Amino acid sequence: MSRLSSELKQVFWVIAAFGALGAVTPFFDDYTQTIITRALVFAIMAMSLDILMGYTGLRSMGHGVYFAFGAYSTAILVTKVKGVGLLTLFGAGLGLSFLVAAFLGFLAIRAVGVYFLMITLSFSMVVWGLAYRWHTVTGGDNGIAGILPPPLFGISLQNPVAFFYFTLGVFLICLGLLYLLVKSPFGKTLVGIREGEARMKMLGYNTWLHKYLAFVISGTFAGISGVLWAMLNRFIAPTDVELVTSVEALLMVALGGPATLVGPAIGAAIVMFLRYWVSTFIERWYLILGATYIITILYAREGILGKVEGLLAWRKAGREAGAAIPRVQKQPEEIRT
Amino acid sequence: MAETQPRLELEAVSKQFGGLHAVEDVNLRLREGGRHGILGPNGAGKTTLFNLITGVLPTTSGRISLFGQDVTRWPTHKRTAMGMARTFQITSLFPKLTVLDNVLLAVQGLRRMKLMMFRPLASYKDVYEKAEKLLTDVNFWHLRDQQVRNLSHGEQRQLEVVLGLASDPKVLLLDEPSAGLATGESREMADFLNSLDKDLSILIIEHDLDVLFGVVSQITVLHYGKVLLEGPSDQVRNDQQVNEIYLGKG
Ligand SMILES: Nc1ncnc2c1ncn2[C@@H]1O[C@H](COP(=O)(O)OP(=O)(O)OP(=O)(O)O)[C@@H](O)[C@H]1O
Ligand SMILES: [Mg+2]
């Protein structure tokens, strides 16, 4: 079947691209390596948000929350518990994000549109406030330093290249799992809810449950990025979990291409490079961030990947013209009699 | 063996929007294999009645039973699971998805695998076969990879009905299935509805009288939310008042 083979081709290209990334990264300078690793960490966050935003159609401004729980739980465990292992850190980060998402989901899922955005935004504010004010646990303004990554099967991850490969591995596992998810029957129902929730209910779906599950899965995966972030930077402070973190995640998805998984990962790379390169030249880099967002919304609603896919499909249609003429779009008039 | 109780029963069902009595004191019974039409001018409350039956809107008062179960307070998806399906007056498909994906979503709606997360949908052969059969029955299989928004209006109306049938319902509610169709297309729609399983109970809202009288045996006439008349279609067709006011055939 041609659809299957074109999907296999896509998977092949994605694997090839990340293989290439793995091959060339050790040859870059330290700074670039760090930015690439950071981009991968945020790519996990962006992909997890894509499940909610791109596939289910729920724009969340609260993804920084899980990032914060993942990062702070890691920071606290590493600095307070001697000899804590990676498994414990990921277990704690994921478990916490899961619980927090499971709780917040109850509050948020009933809301739609801008109300959903506002509620999730308020979660972000609360968690930032906690990080900032709850000195005894979070270190407040000073943050928590000295978050050294524990070894993986005896291999030290304190070397930047080793940590890069570790992050790449975690990223690919997440990508694989999320890819399975969006190709599953459940994944298809999320798209159905985005495109027509009323119809989905009529078809027998408990859409609340599906949205809630998407919310929890999305939040849990976002927690992973927090765990990695803390170990990568070895330092965490309230500035890392500001509202801007959630907004950046939103921008990564919008920019890269919602409902494509790989698109948001590309978006993450772009935003991270903007953040760390442009900010060395331009003081107010948030202006650039905002401008990028507006340009995306105005000129590329389907994101970069969506645009590229559109162009490819268009060229293909051009080549095949004559063999199969693409159906012209007929606009059915809305008729009420 | 014939079922004894009605599949769908409305008892004194009412709906008010503020001061507006959109549906008032409506009683209705639909039995196994019953074909029941609802007639009435614009704004008579027909679609609202469907919204009450399907749980899209809560009733103000009255009781709705499906297969003898009181479902008055049930959410939509649970009523659907009892064996009910509905199509919409204004086409409400998934416009950006392909025809096949639309039908697949409809087919898996009442199957437990809809919550399966780590197995590709493409590996569920039975779901695909069911979708293929539904699409082949209406000669749509060649359109399967088209986005629904690129279909003609007539094709979309037909797909509405296909989605309604995908869960093998026992009770089917059709809200103006031939809305906006050309005369020839309406006749095809009527033939199609008549070709459906004889056991299926159908409640149909339809302005096209040829379609309506061609499909149903019993009709309820609604007027400002109230039942003006209920009876066999012949009786309604010949009713003086109905003719004067609604059919414009004096
Ligand atoms: N959700 C709602 N809120 C307020 N008023 C409503 C709502 N839905 C319907 N109405 C009103 O209830 C009345 C009945 O509307 P309904 O759509 O049921 O009519 P209908 O018989 O289906 O008409 P048509 O033939 O035009 O489809 C109308 O006056 C309509 O404006
Ligand atoms: Mg109506």
Side-chain angles (χ1 to χ4, degrees):
Chain A
M1 236 169 96
S2 74
R3 189 142 52 125
L4 192 67
S5 73
S6 85
E7 256 168 40
L8 282 178
K9 230 192 231 166
Q10 282 176 14
V11 171
F12 170 79
W13 279 113
V14 170
I15 292 173
F18 284 105
L21 181 71
V24 299
T25 301
F27 299 104
F28 291 130
D29 59 285
D30 283 2
Y31 187 58
T32 312
Q33 276 173 10
T34 312
I35 298 179
I36 291 174
T37 312
R38 283 176 174 167
L40 280 172
V41 172
F42 263 86
I44 296 173
M45 167 111 138
M47 289 190 308
S48 72
L49 178 59
D50 196 26
I51 296 296
L52 206 54
M53 180 172 153
Y55 288 90
T56 320
L58 293 170
R59 268 163 208 271
S60 165
M61 285 259 235
H63 252 50
V65 168
Y66 317 107
F67 185 85
F69 275 93
Y72 272 100
S73 66
T74 302
I76 292 163
L77 282 172
V78 170
T79 51
K80 296 260 155 61
V81 183
K82 244 178 115 88
V84 68
L86 279 176
L87 203 63
T88 314
L89 295 182
F90 277 96
L94 273 148
L96 260 177
S97 313
F98 171 82
L99 290 176
V100 171
F103 171 69
L104 296 181
F106 273 110
L107 306 177
I109 289 300
R110 295 227 175 262
V112 285
V114 84
Y115 295 100
F116 184 81
L117 204 78
M118 298 304 277
I119 287 186
T120 49
L121 185 144
S122 72
F123 297 159
S124 285
M125 300 305 287
V126 169
V127 167
W128 174 79
L130 266 180
Y132 193 65
R133 294 273 172 208
W134 199 8
H135 272 272
T136 44
V137 174
T138 64
D141 231 358
N142 301 325
I144 298 173
I147 312 163
L148 290 176
L152 171 73
F153 304 128
I155 305 162
S156 167
L157 294 181
Q158 295 187 17
N159 167 312
V161 175
F163 199 81
F164 159 75
Y165 281 119
F166 176 65
T167 308
L168 183 62
V170 176
F171 167 83
L172 288 175
I173 292 170
C174 292
L175 177 60
L177 288 174
L178 292 175
Y179 181 75
L180 263 179
L181 182 81
V182 299
K183 291 291 168 196
S184 71
F186 177 75
K188 188 70 86 188
T189 68
L190 299 182
V191 176
I193 288 170
R194 182 190 74 201
E195 294 296 318
E197 187 170 357
R199 188 51 178 255
M200 288 296 278
K201 286 182 184 165
M202 201 58 69
L203 291 174
Y205 293 97
N206 178 356
T207 57
W208 183 92
L209 177 67
H210 289 243
K211 288 195 284 184
Y212 178 74
L213 290 174
F215 189 93
V216 175
I217 292 166
S218 174
T220 308
F221 272 91
I224 297 174
S225 57
V227 174
L228 289 168
W229 187 255
M231 292 192 286
L232 169 64
N233 295 323
R234 302 180 183 185
F235 173 72
I236 184 88
T239 47
D240 288 309
V241 301
E242 279 177 341
L243 183 60
V244 175
T245 312
S246 299
V247 177
E248 276 176 2
L250 211 78
L251 176 63
M252 289 164 185
V253 177
L255 188 64
T260 58
L261 281 189
V262 174
I266 296 170
I270 295 170
V271 173
M272 280 294 138
F273 272 86
L274 278 178
R275 191 207 254 190
Y276 292 108
W277 274 352
V278 176
S279 63
T280 47
F281 310 119
I282 301 172
E283 188 89 3
R284 303 206 166 270
W285 98 275
Y286 289 135
L287 284 179
I288 307 281
L289 195 73
T292 319
Y293 188 66
I294 290 166
I295 290 168
T296 311
I297 294 297
L298 286 181
Y299 296 108
R301 295 218 69 153
E302 67 281 43
I304 290 171
L305 204 66
K307 248 214 142 66
V308 171
E309 272 176 358
L311 281 176
L312 287 178
W314 182 70
R315 274 192 45 192
K316 194 160 162 247
R319 259 187 282 128
E320 287 170 1
I325 299 153
R327 289 171 71 91
V328 259
Q329 185 160 334
K330 287 180 232 161
Q331 282 299 340
E333 327 97 89
E334 215 151 76
I335 294 165
R336 267 181 78 92
T337 43
Chain B
M1 199 185 75
E3 296 162 12
T4 49
Q5 64 190 330
R7 284 186 173 170
L8 171 67
E9 184 169 20
L10 308 186
E11 293 165 88
V13 167
S14 299
K15 178 69 185 178
Q16 268 177 264
F17 296 114
L20 173 73
H21 294 264
V23 170
E24 205 174 343
D25 203 20
V26 171
N27 294 287
L28 193 147
R29 282 164 165 238
L30 186 63
R31 297 191 175 277
E32 177 181 357
R35 306 286 157 113
H36 198 121
I38 295 185
L39 194 58
N42 295 143
K46 306 180 295 297
T47 299
T48 304
L49 188 66
F50 270 22
N51 285 337
L52 299 177
I53 297 171
T54 52
V56 171
L57 295 171
T59 55
T60 308
S61 64
R63 186 182 137 106
I64 300 168
S65 319
L66 270 176
F67 306 97
Q69 272 262 19
D70 182 352
V71 299
T72 315
R73 309 241 164 272
W74 287 23
T76 303
H77 64 94
K78 279 179 79 180
R79 301 188 199 199
T80 300
M82 295 276 293
M84 184 170 66
R86 172 203 181 166
T87 69
F88 291 83
Q89 177 174 4
I90 296 172
T91 306
S92 60
L93 300 161
F94 307 103
K96 287 197 223 148
L97 304 188
T98 63
V99 170
L100 181 60
D101 280 345
N102 268 263
V103 178
L104 286 171
L105 276 174
V107 171
Q108 67 171 32
L110 292 183
R111 300 186 188 213
R112 284 231 296 273
M113 47 68 83
K114 66 187 168 188
L115 284 170
M116 179 59 81
M117 294 179 187
F118 296 109
R119 187 178 147 186
L121 173 58
S123 70
Y124 288 88
K125 263 189 119 173
D126 51 333
V127 176
Y128 270 77
E129 275 163 10
K130 173 80 184 171
E132 178 172 354
K133 181 175 177 341
L134 284 161
L135 285 173
T136 314
D137 283 352
V138 291
N139 279 322
F140 269 25
W141 184 240
H142 64 290
L143 296 175
R144 64 188 175 280
D145 289 330
Q146 294 284 340
Q147 281 191 2
V148 162
R149 60 177 165 180
N150 293 339
L151 299 184
S152 72
H153 179 72
E155 288 165 339
Q156 293 194 13
R157 289 312 290 169
Q158 194 150 12
L159 195 58
E160 269 287 325
V161 181
V162 172
L163 256 60
L165 291 169
S167 57
D168 294 320
K170 290 203 159 92
V171 174
L172 180 61
L173 313 183
L174 300 165
D175 196 344
E176 297 193 33
S178 72
L181 295 187
T183 320
E185 290 176 316
S186 294
R187 187 157 309 126
E188 275 174 34
M189 178 67 78
D191 291 343
F192 176 68
L193 295 178
N194 281 323
S195 75
L196 298 175
D197 186 355
K198 292 285 166 259
D199 285 348
L200 176 67
S201 310
I202 296 181
L203 188 60
I204 176 173
I205 300 172
E206 186 54 72
H207 278 296
D208 185 321
L209 299 179
D210 292 331
V211 173
L212 190 69
F213 288 123
V215 173
V216 306
S217 53
Q218 192 81 9
I219 291 178
T220 295
V221 183
L222 278 186
H223 180 43
Y224 289 117
K226 282 195 204 138
V227 176
L228 184 78
L229 177 69
E230 187 194 333
S233 33
D234 287 343
Q235 189 190 325
V236 172
R237 193 203 281 266
N238 297 321
D239 187 272
Q240 186 88 38
Q241 201 182 6
V242 171
N243 271 290
E244 277 169 15
I245 307 173
Y246 303 110
L247 311 186
K249 287 185 190 166

